[in-house]
Coordinates of all heavy atoms in Angstrom, one line a residue:
F1 N 4.1 -5.2 -13.3 CA 3.4 -6.3 -12.7 C 3.4 -6.1 -11.2 O 4.4 -5.7 -10.7 CB 4.1 -7.6 -13.1 CG 3.9 -8.1 -14.5 CD1 4.8 -7.9 -15.4 CD2 2.7 -8.8 -14.8 CE1 4.6 -8.4 -16.7 CE2 2.4 -9.2 -16.1 CZ 3.4 -9.0 -17.1
I2 N 2.3 -6.4 -10.6 CA 2.1 -6.2 -9.2 C 1.6 -7.4 -8.5 O 0.7 -8.0 -9.0 CB 1.2 -5.0 -8.9 CG1 1.7 -3.7 -9.4 CG2 0.9 -4.9 -7.4 CD1 0.8 -2.5 -9.4
C3 N 2.3 -7.8 -7.4 CA 1.8 -8.9 -6.6 C 1.1 -8.3 -5.4 O 1.7 -7.7 -4.6 CB 3.0 -9.8 -6.2 SG 2.4 -11.1 -5.1
E4 N -0.2 -8.6 -5.4 CA -1.0 -8.0 -4.3 C -0.8 -8.8 -3.0 O -1.1 -8.3 -1.9 CB -2.5 -8.0 -4.7 CG -2.8 -7.1 -5.8 CD -4.3 -7.0 -6.1 OE1 -5.0 -6.2 -5.5 OE2 -4.7 -7.8 -7.0
N5 N -0.3 -10.0 -3.1 CA 0.1 -10.8 -1.8 C 1.3 -10.2 -1.2 O 1.3 -10.0 0.0 CB 0.3 -12.2 -2.2 CG -0.9 -12.9 -2.6 OD1 -2.0 -12.6 -2.2 ND2 -0.8 -13.9 -3.5
C6 N 2.3 -10.0 -1.9 CA 3.6 -9.5 -1.4 C 3.7 -8.0 -1.4 O 4.6 -7.4 -0.8 CB 4.8 -10.0 -2.3 SG 4.9 -11.8 -2.3
M7 N 2.8 -7.3 -2.1 CA 2.8 -5.9 -2.3 C 4.1 -5.4 -3.0 O 4.8 -4.5 -2.5 CB 2.5 -5.1 -1.0 CG 1.1 -5.3 -0.5 SD -0.2 -4.9 -1.7 CE -0.1 -3.1 -1.6
L8 N 4.5 -6.2 -4.0 CA 5.7 -5.8 -4.8 C 5.4 -5.4 -6.2 O 4.4 -6.0 -6.8 CB 6.7 -7.0 -4.8 CG 7.3 -7.5 -3.5 CD1 8.1 -8.8 -3.7 CD2 8.3 -6.4 -3.0
K9 N 6.1 -4.4 -6.7 CA 5.9 -4.0 -8.0 C 7.2 -4.3 -8.8 O 8.3 -4.0 -8.5 CB 5.7 -2.4 -8.0 CG 5.5 -1.8 -9.4 CD 5.1 -0.4 -9.3 CE 6.3 0.5 -9.2 NZ 6.0 1.9 -9.4
F10 N 6.9 -5.0 -10.0 CA 8.0 -5.4 -10.9 C 7.9 -4.6 -12.2 O 6.9 -4.6 -12.8 CB 7.9 -6.9 -11.2 CG 8.0 -7.8 -10.0 CD1 6.8 -8.2 -9.3 CD2 9.2 -8.2 -9.5 CE1 6.8 -9.0 -8.2 CE2 9.2 -9.0 -8.3 CZ 8.0 -9.4 -7.7
E11 N 8.9 -3.8 -12.5 CA 9.0 -3.0 -13.7 C 9.1 -3.8 -14.9 O 9.6 -4.9 -14.9 CB 10.1 -2.0 -13.6 CG 10.1 -1.1 -12.4 CD 9.0 0.0 -12.5 OE1 8.6 0.3 -13.6 OE2 8.6 0.5 -11.4
I12 N 8.7 -3.2 -16.0 CA 8.9 -3.8 -17.4 C 9.8 -2.8 -18.1 O 9.4 -1.7 -18.3 CB 7.5 -4.0 -18.1 CG1 6.6 -4.9 -17.3 CG2 7.8 -4.5 -19.5 CD1 5.2 -5.0 -17.9
I13 N 10.9 -3.3 -18.5 CA 11.9 -2.5 -19.2 C 12.2 -3.0 -20.6 O 12.5 -4.2 -20.7 CB 13.2 -2.5 -18.4 CG1 13.0 -2.0 -16.9 CG2 14.3 -1.6 -19.1 CD1 14.0 -2.3 -15.9
D14 N 11.9 -2.2 -21.6 CA 12.0 -2.6 -23.0 C 11.3 -3.9 -23.3 O 11.8 -4.8 -23.9 CB 13.5 -2.7 -23.4 CG 14.3 -1.5 -23.3 OD1 13.7 -0.4 -23.5 OD2 15.5 -1.5 -23.0
D15 N 10.0 -3.9 -22.8 CA 9.1 -5.1 -23.0 C 9.6 -6.3 -22.3 O 9.1 -7.4 -22.6 CB 8.9 -5.3 -24.5 CG 8.1 -4.2 -25.1 OD1 7.3 -3.6 -24.4 OD2 8.2 -4.0 -26.4
I16 N 10.5 -6.2 -21.3 CA 11.0 -7.4 -20.6 C 10.7 -7.2 -19.1 O 11.2 -6.2 -18.5 CB 12.5 -7.6 -20.8 CG1 12.8 -7.8 -22.3 CG2 13.0 -8.8 -20.0 CD1 14.2 -7.8 -22.7
P17 N 9.9 -8.1 -18.5 CA 9.6 -7.9 -17.1 C 10.9 -8.2 -16.3 O 11.6 -9.2 -16.6 CB 8.6 -9.0 -16.8 CG 8.0 -9.4 -18.2 CD 9.1 -9.1 -19.1
D18 N 11.1 -7.4 -15.3 CA 12.3 -7.5 -14.4 C 11.8 -8.2 -13.1 O 11.3 -7.5 -12.2 CB 12.9 -6.2 -14.1 CG 14.1 -6.2 -13.2 OD1 14.5 -7.3 -12.8 OD2 14.7 -5.2 -12.9
F19 N 11.9 -9.5 -13.0 CA 11.5 -10.2 -11.8 C 12.6 -10.5 -10.8 O 12.4 -11.4 -10.0 CB 10.8 -11.5 -12.3 CG 9.4 -11.3 -12.9 CD1 9.1 -11.8 -14.1 CD2 8.4 -10.5 -12.2 CE1 7.9 -11.6 -14.7 CE2 7.2 -10.3 -12.8 CZ 6.9 -10.9 -14.1
L20 N 13.7 -9.8 -10.9 CA 14.7 -9.9 -9.9 C 14.2 -9.4 -8.6 O 13.8 -8.2 -8.5 CB 16.0 -9.2 -10.3 CG 16.7 -9.8 -11.6 CD1 17.8 -8.9 -12.0 CD2 17.1 -11.2 -11.4
P21 N 14.2 -10.2 -7.5 CA 13.7 -9.7 -6.2 C 14.4 -8.4 -5.7 O 13.8 -7.6 -5.1 CB 14.0 -10.9 -5.3 CG 14.0 -12.1 -6.2 CD 14.6 -11.6 -7.5
D22 N 15.7 -8.3 -6.0 CA 16.4 -7.1 -5.5 C 15.9 -5.8 -6.3 O 16.1 -4.7 -5.8 CB 17.9 -7.2 -5.7 CG 18.5 -8.2 -4.7 OD1 17.9 -8.5 -3.7 OD2 19.6 -8.7 -5.0
D23 N 15.4 -6.0 -7.5 CA 14.9 -4.8 -8.2 C 13.4 -4.5 -8.0 O 13.0 -3.4 -8.3 CB 15.1 -5.1 -9.7 CG 16.5 -5.2 -10.2 OD1 17.4 -4.7 -9.4 OD2 16.8 -5.7 -11.3
A24 N 12.7 -5.4 -7.3 CA 11.3 -5.1 -7.0 C 11.1 -4.0 -6.0 O 12.0 -3.8 -5.2 CB 10.6 -6.4 -6.5

């Protein structure tokens, strides 16, 4: 998942989005 406003990429691990800010 990518936020074009923040320019952050959030990975999906084992079909679970990782939305922890430290992991972005």
